[in-house]
Amino acid sequence: METNVLLTSETQAEKAKRVLAAKPYRFHVAKTTTPSGCAFRLSVDAPPSAVLPLLAANRIPFRL
């Protein structure tokens, strides 16, 4: 199962990459455009029940 979230800044994307690098998940971050401006799409090969609490615990704001 894959989880996709939007991160609001490059700083938050880098922080998410550091957190996920310590876990056994494969992930990819790509810059994308939304109606409100630029964002970064994080795709993780893991269920939302594993990824979302991890991001929240590390104070990484995201949107689904």
Side-chain angles (χ1 to χ4, degrees), residues 4 11 16-18 26 30 35 48 58 61:
N4 292 294
T11 301
K17 286 164 59 173
R18 283 193 306 270
R26 289 185 308 168
N58 284 278

Side-chain angles (χ1 to χ4, degrees), residues 11-50:
T11 301
Q12 297 303 329
E14 290 299 321
K15 188 174 179 183
K17 286 164 59 173
R18 283 193 306 270
V19 168
L20 291 169
K23 301 294 179 185
Y25 307 130
R26 289 185 308 168
F27 62 91
H28 176 74
V29 177
K31 190 173 183 178
T32 187
T33 304
T34 66
S36 60
C38 290
F40 292 84
R41 184 174 56 94
L42 172 66
S43 300
V44 184
D45 287 336
S49 61

